[in-house]
Amino acid sequence: MQQEPIISVKNVDVFYGNHHVIKNVSLDIFPNEVVALIGPSGCGKSTFLRLLNRMNDFIESFRMNGQIYIENKNIYTRHVQVEKLRKNVGMVFQKPNPFPKSVYENVVYGLRIQGIKDKKYMDGIVESMLQRVGLWNEVKDKLHQSALALSGGQQQRLCIARTLAVEPSIVLMDEPTSSLDPISTATIEELIFELKQHYTIVIVTHNMQQARRVSNKTAFFYMGELIEYDDTINLFTNPKVDLTHKYITGKFG
Amino acid sequence: MIPVTSKFKNNRLKDKIFRWYGFLCTLTGVILLFIFLYSILAEGLDRLNFQFFTSLPSRKPSDAGILVALIGTLWIMILTTIIVVPIGLASAIYLEEYGKKNKFAAFIEINISNLAGVPSIIYGLLALEIFVRIMGLGRSLLSGALTLSLLILPIVIVATREALKSVPNSIREASYALGATKWETMWNAVLPSAAGGIFTGIILAISRAIGETAPLVVIGAMLYITTIPTHPLDDFSVLPVQIYNWLSRPQKGFIENATAAIIVLLGITFLMNSVAIYLRNKWQSKVKW
């Protein structure tokens, strides 16, 4: 059964000024997949991730050619409402970045932006989202305390809950565990595993074990090019390109 | 083998000398402040009674009070805050978050810093021409507040920009990634995070404003006035002008009045600065990045 891809990237080039950072990349991502983007630092994987919710727009020298379709709509046209796109394509960052507000206010931030005021509805969202990220039991008694008092791992799960609260269909994760300890990392990885029932996830990671553990498909980037994109199991056990083989066996990187 | 050790010894000695020198330098400021406070308190404290706070100016030192000046100062504080906060915040937000970072922005930035260093009497002259004469506001509270707003606007802008700069970009990104516009991001995420620094800056600027004498004398704050201002267009006096007036009188009683008024003015300034420090500490403990 061949589904429609939820994300379809066609011949994309990205420049920062004269710097060519993404070179003619095309790839399709299907619903409820977890796709890992791997590659050495500076290979363009984070830039690529940020293309998908147009976070690169903030960089002044940013230019792009090619098309990116999300749910069959080209997201780089004038008519696209970027805010709506970002609501549908959530993002979790490298370092946990909760707002200096209460746990509760962090989760409902996106809802308040949309003008939702119904307290009961928000209470429900807070509970269900914190349940979904496995944080509810830990924080249910401190919903109105500052989110900054939580541990790093808890903060990152809170950030995921905050992202999920606006009901995205795609979640982008930019090295979400790189600043966390191994136990918190394991918790987040399990969470990613559960989340793929509801969401399509694209995750940038430096950690190849992590890519292997959480993803169905892996894309290997090198110097702005997409070198290989395949089922994770194939890519790691039987890479078709020599460069991929060298990278995953630690010959460079 | 000896030279190495002796060099070390030498450095230790330098370290010790500097330590003591630095300590003494620090002490100079503190000691002078205490001498100043002591002499003022010794002379003026007795004069601080109920009558002093509730009386109008008078020719007799013992009948005179600071009521008019105190109320003038309160008026000026409130009006200046109302004028300076919206203009200062909007300018700072525009410069920091909206304006492009190009040469023109750098030029504006340097000039705002320069404005903060312009002697206050120059602002008085500017205000005399613009507010008092061209705009026809006269020697009113409003003229005074506008003058002082002009004077502290650069301070407020610089402080607000610093506070905005200290909000990490990750907070803005988090907000944008949830579908917020720039405006929503500013209001809901950035300004609340920067509020501590902004309030501190505003309070310190206002406390500077209420101590200013020169520009207000230039625009014609009253040296002698016996009616309490009830309207922004009324004539007015303020504490520092009242102090200046009393100090220029020959009678000893007026000098005593002046020192008592200085205590009141210092009290207000210290209070405001304490609030600023309190706010800053409170915010710092709340917001750890």
Side-chain angles (χ1 to χ4, degrees):
Chain A
M1 184 195 78
Q2 187 62 45
Q3 280 174 297
E4 285 263 295
I6 186 168
I7 301 173
S8 180
V9 177
K10 295 189 196 302
N11 307 103
V12 164
D13 285 277
V14 171
F15 302 85
Y16 291 149
N18 292 324
H19 203 51
H20 198 171
V21 287
I22 300 232
K23 294 167 189 161
N24 194 23
V25 168
S26 303
L27 66 80
D28 287 343
I29 294 171
F30 293 90
N32 299 74
E33 279 184 336
V34 176
V35 174
L37 311 180
I38 63 168
S41 305
C43 67
K45 56 193 192 303
S46 276
T47 301
F48 180 80
L49 189 76
R50 284 162 172 262
L51 282 175
L52 304 177
N53 65 343
R54 292 189 54 171
M55 286 298 271
N56 289 329
D57 292 15
F58 296 108
I59 298 166
E60 260 176 60
S61 58
F62 166 74
R63 272 188 307 127
M64 177 195 129
N65 299 324
Q67 295 93 40
I68 297 177
Y69 294 90
I70 287 183
E71 292 171 343
N72 289 321
K73 275 203 294 209
N74 187 346
I75 60 166
Y76 280 89
T77 63
R78 285 177 150 267
H79 313 288
V80 171
Q81 264 189 292
V82 184
E83 287 75 30
K84 232 171 163 179
L85 168 74
R86 295 205 183 111
K87 202 169 80 59
N88 188 34
V89 185
M91 184 166 223
V92 176
F93 296 85
Q94 201 167 17
K95 256 181 75 185
N97 56 354
F99 299 113
K101 297 170 183 267
S102 68
V103 172
Y104 185 96
E105 283 303 321
N106 264 281
V107 180
V108 300
Y109 184 90
L111 304 177
R112 288 204 192 277
I113 294 291
Q114 293 168 41
I116 292 168
K117 292 203 173 74
D118 183 349
K119 176 121 189 350
K120 264 218 180 103
Y121 175 76
M122 291 200 292
D123 289 350
I125 291 277
V126 168
E127 178 166 355
S128 61
M129 289 308 144
L130 290 174
Q131 293 272 19
R132 185 166 278 183
V133 299
L135 201 56
W136 177 250
N137 286 329
E138 291 160 58
V139 303
K140 66 179 174 207
D141 299 322
K142 25 186 181 179
L143 289 179
H144 297 285
Q145 291 173 22
S146 171
L148 298 173
L150 301 180
S151 74
Q154 289 174 323
Q155 288 187 7
Q156 193 62 303
R157 279 183 285 156
L158 176 63
C159 290
I160 297 175
R162 175 176 76 183
T163 303
L164 304 183
V166 294
E167 300 177 338
S169 52
I170 299 166
V171 179
L172 310 175
M173 298 185 171
D174 191 355
E175 299 188 39
T177 61
S178 65
S179 65
L180 302 181
D181 62 84
I183 294 175
S184 307
T185 300
T187 320
I188 302 255
E189 283 180 12
E190 278 168 39
L191 176 58
I192 293 170
F193 215 74
E194 282 162 34
L195 290 180
K196 73 174 175 190
Q197 297 168 29
H198 307 274
Y199 310 94
T200 307
I201 296 172
V202 187
I203 176 172
V204 166
T205 176
H206 252 119
N207 178 333
M208 278 179 274
Q209 267 62 45
Q210 182 169 68
R212 230 172 152 151
R213 283 191 297 263
V214 301
S215 68
N216 317 101
K217 282 193 176 167
T218 298
F220 171 56
F221 282 79
Y222 184 68
M223 307 272 279
E225 284 178 69
L226 177 59
I227 305 295
E228 189 165 354
Y229 178 45
D230 202 348
D231 288 346
T232 299
I233 182 105
N234 291 340
L235 190 128
F236 278 99
T237 52
N238 193 13
K240 294 186 184 63
V241 185
D242 191 41
L243 205 58
T244 317
H245 177 74
K246 278 186 179 149
Y247 183 71
I248 60 175
T249 52
K251 300 251 167 60
F252 73 98
Chain B
M1 55 204 230
I2 307 300
V4 179
T5 345
S6 77
K7 181 156 193 308
F8 273 137
K9 246 188 189 161
N10 209 351
N11 283 348
R12 278 252 179 98
L13 187 67
K14 276 186 198 158
D15 195 41
K16 250 188 190 159
I17 293 174
F18 180 77
R19 184 186 293 253
W20 278 101
Y21 174 69
F23 179 68
L24 286 175
C25 289
T26 316
L27 223 53
T28 321
V30 178
I31 288 173
L32 283 178
L33 179 69
F34 273 100
I35 293 175
F36 169 69
L37 278 180
Y38 175 77
S39 64
I40 296 259
L41 286 173
E43 192 163 352
L45 208 51
D46 289 341
R47 189 67 188 83
L48 276 184
N49 52 28
F50 188 67
Q51 176 272 330
F52 186 67
F53 282 99
T54 54
S55 298
L56 302 174
S58 161
R59 266 154 229 234
K60 270 174 49 192
S62 55
D63 290 346
I66 54 168
L67 185 63
V68 173
L70 190 60
I71 289 181
T73 290
L74 291 179
W75 264 107
I76 288 282
M77 267 170 74
I78 293 166
L79 286 176
T80 307
T81 310
I82 292 173
I83 296 165
V84 84
V85 167
I87 301 178
L89 281 191
S91 315
I93 292 172
Y94 176 78
L95 286 172
E96 197 54 43
E97 308 280 339
Y98 284 82
K100 287 228 162 70
K101 305 265 180 280
N102 52 24
K103 287 218 166 115
F104 182 64
F107 177 74
I108 291 184
E109 181 158 2
I110 289 171
N111 276 292
I112 287 177
S113 306
N114 280 342
L115 280 179
V118 170
S120 58
I121 195 156
I122 312 276
Y123 283 98
L125 292 170
L126 176 73
L128 179 65
E129 192 57 34
I130 295 179
F131 303 135
V132 180
R133 301 212 175 119
I134 297 178
M135 287 170 69
L137 295 173
R139 327 161 127 195
S140 62
L141 276 169
L142 190 58
S143 290
L146 284 167
T147 311
L148 293 176
S149 300
L150 214 56
L151 178 74
I152 62 171
L153 193 58
I155 309 177
V156 172
I157 293 176
V158 170
T160 306
R161 290 190 67 183
E162 287 307 316
L164 292 175
K165 260 186 213 155
S166 74
V167 177
N169 228 359
S170 64
I171 291 292
R172 295 179 182 84
E173 286 194 325
S175 175
Y176 289 133
L178 289 166
T181 60
K182 194 154 198 165
W183 172 254
E184 289 160 343
T185 299
M186 284 310 301
W187 271 106
N188 298 302
V190 179
L191 280 181
S193 308
I198 295 174
F199 285 139
T200 310
I202 291 171
I203 293 173
L204 292 178
I206 297 285
S207 101
R208 152 120 200 249
I210 62 165
E212 279 297 336
T213 322
L216 295 183
V217 171
V218 173
I219 66 158
M222 292 290 153
L223 295 178
Y224 189 86
I225 181 178
T226 53
T227 48
I228 294 168
T230 56
H231 187 275
L233 290 174
D234 283 348
D235 287 352
F236 72 106
S237 184
V238 288
L239 281 172
V241 172
Q242 180 71 71
I243 293 166
Y244 171 71
N245 173 19
W246 277 337
L247 281 176
S248 58
R249 304 280 190 98
Q251 295 99 315
K252 178 148 192 323
F254 279 122
I255 306 292
E256 214 176 287
N257 282 358
T259 42
I262 288 172
I263 297 174
V264 176
L265 184 58
L266 275 181
I268 297 176
T269 326
F270 281 175
L271 191 71
M272 289 177 72
N273 290 3
S274 318
V275 171
I277 291 169
Y278 170 77
L279 273 179
R280 190 174 57 203
N281 291 345
K282 196 181 142 200
W283 235 273
Q284 262 170 5
S285 62
K286 205 175 117 190
V287 183
K288 271 188 235 116
W289 307 111

